[in-house]
Amino acid sequence: MTSSYFIQTFGCAQNVADSERIAAMLEARGMKEAKKLKDADHVIINTCMIREKAENRVYGLVNNLAKQKNISGKPKKIIVTGCMVGMAVRDKSGKFLKLIRKRMPYVDEFLPVEEVGFDHDPIRTDSLHALVPISNGCNNFCTFCVVPFTRGREISRPYDEVLHECMSLARQGFKKITLLGMNVNSYGADLVVGAENIQVLRDINKTYFQPKADGPLAHAMKGYKLLDGRIIKPVFVKHLNRLRIPTLFPYLLEDICAIPGIENIDFISSNPWDFSDELIDVIARNKKISRKIHLPVQSGSNSVLKRMNRWYTREDYLELVKRLRDKISAKGGSATGGKNLKLSTDIIVGFCEESDQEFQETVDLVKKAGFYKAYIAMYSDRPMTAAHKALKDNVPHNIKKERWEILEQLINIPNLKDPEFKN
């Protein structure tokens, strides 16, 4: 008898894309998707750890499944994957794995999502819009963020592999593609110079990656050769008067724009300090690229940004917003984005030691930036992060909630009637 599966996904679009690959792996083994969670023989829980609330939802679901199993005999197997397992694998002390095993004793298997791979075409959840991961992991180590510990260092998929997947999607009738990465702007740095040579940028005082002209990496920096014989020269972002890591993302984006049948291209997420002028130019001249750009700011206070280990100031961010609006809006609309650039963002309120004055600086930036949507989160202390180890989560919950409501009223509530707000 054929076994059935059900995948419950928590978290971001990257997790959704991972679940599509997990489904493909299970169906390659002869399994079929169950219509409802309660009917499945195997339940796979794809986890998120970006906030404590998301983590607690997983614990609650596993406990409910255990109760259901005692009554009905299903599910026969409970499998946990995603970010929680990623952290357990990377925690060399073994403490986190011991913790989740204690909290979820009914789990039959902890599956690292990296073991799933790209051997099978994903089971897409949309017939027109495809999610395409181009990289996994992150090298930036913002002090609040758990991603480097759940997904590891940034690894880019081969350029030609991504391009061929997009071509295949066009042949299958897909019209929209969203490129996924923790930081799509830095895509390809490891392909150009090798993952072992990428400087991991942990604090504001370290120097940027800048290979010597006569060094062992000089030849690699001259260009990256594609399967069709083209050699493309990496793009460097100049930031704080120094060169950042090399990226191939502007080339990849433009090559995907050239694929017939693909009508709209989006990407998430991008870091402000890696948003090159070359990337802005590619967006401006290609109307297939969405004019809705997600650009996380996290805070409008320079002192908070420094505590967060974000590599820009409020002034840098607002200058980038100005360049985006000046260059992209002036070039007109995309197939779906309209004539005007629409910016969404991520903001954390109540980060460690955030004062009233620092929060007001965020309010001021929000008014100047003109966001049409913001994903606002109250700071949640996360294990293994630098903030967890070195800073104090000392802003009371009621203050965090009050600041959340102020920004919600300032950004999201006035834009609820915008037809693109939910997109």
Side-chain angles (χ1 to χ4, degrees), residues 1-3 41 74 76:
M1 184 177 178
T2 302
S3 295
D41 297 310
K74 287 188 176 183
K76 296 177 181 178

Side-chain angles (χ1 to χ4, degrees), residues 96-221:
F96 190 71
L97 179 59
K98 184 177 180 180
L99 173 66
I100 61 175
R101 280 179 170 165
K102 182 179 179 180
R103 291 187 175 181
M104 299 183 289
Y106 308 104
V107 171
D108 298 287
E109 180 183 352
F110 291 99
L111 172 68
V113 75
E114 291 84 355
E115 293 183 5
V116 178
F118 290 84
D119 297 332
H120 308 284
D121 289 338
I123 304 297
R124 307 283 180 183
T125 54
D126 190 301
S127 61
L128 296 176
H129 178 198
L131 302 174
V132 179
I134 65 171
S135 63
N136 184 54
C138 186
N139 289 340
N140 289 310
F141 290 90
C142 300
T143 59
F144 58 83
C145 186
V146 77
V147 168
F149 307 101
T150 60
R151 289 187 173 268
R153 302 286 177 85
E154 184 174 278
I155 299 175
S156 303
R157 287 180 66 194
Y159 191 105
D160 296 286
E161 181 180 302
V162 175
L163 198 56
H164 289 161
E165 179 176 348
C166 293
M167 291 175 178
S168 175
L169 289 167
R171 289 193 295 269
Q172 295 171 53
F174 286 87
K175 301 299 182 184
K176 179 177 179 179
I177 287 174
T178 298
L179 304 175
L180 302 177
M182 299 301 118
N183 179 21
V184 293
N185 311 43
S186 60
Y187 166 81
D190 53 324
L191 300 178
V192 174
V193 301
E196 70 279 5
N197 294 315
I198 297 297
Q199 182 181 19
V200 179
L201 310 174
R202 290 176 180 268
D203 63 70
I204 204 71
N205 295 318
K206 285 189 177 179
T207 59
Y208 284 65
F209 176 86
Q210 189 170 3
K212 296 180 180 179
D214 58 348
L217 301 178
H219 178 71
M221 298 312 302

Side-chain angles (χ1 to χ4, degrees), residues 33 72 106 114 230 292 317 419:
E33 183 180 16
S72 67
Y106 308 104
E114 291 84 355
R230 282 184 298 152
K292 291 181 290 185
Y317 187 92

Side-chain angles (χ1 to χ4, degrees), residues 315-353:
E315 292 79 16
D316 292 330
Y317 187 92
L318 290 171
E319 174 58 28
L320 173 58
V321 168
K322 183 178 185 303
R323 294 204 311 275
L324 286 165
R325 292 198 186 282
D326 287 347
K327 288 193 175 184
I328 296 175
S329 294
K331 293 290 184 179
S334 66
T336 61
K339 290 186 176 181
N340 297 317
L341 177 73
K342 289 181 175 290
L343 290 177
S344 59
T345 196
D346 296 333
I347 300 174
I348 296 173
V349 296
F351 183 67
C352 304
E353 304 172 20

Side-chain angles (χ1 to χ4, degrees), residues 235-239 242-245 247 273-276:
V235 171
F236 275 96
V237 185
K238 192 171 184 180
H239 183 61
R242 288 174 288 179
L243 295 179
R244 275 278 287 169
I245 55 178
T247 172
W273 63 86
D274 284 327
F275 219 108
S276 67

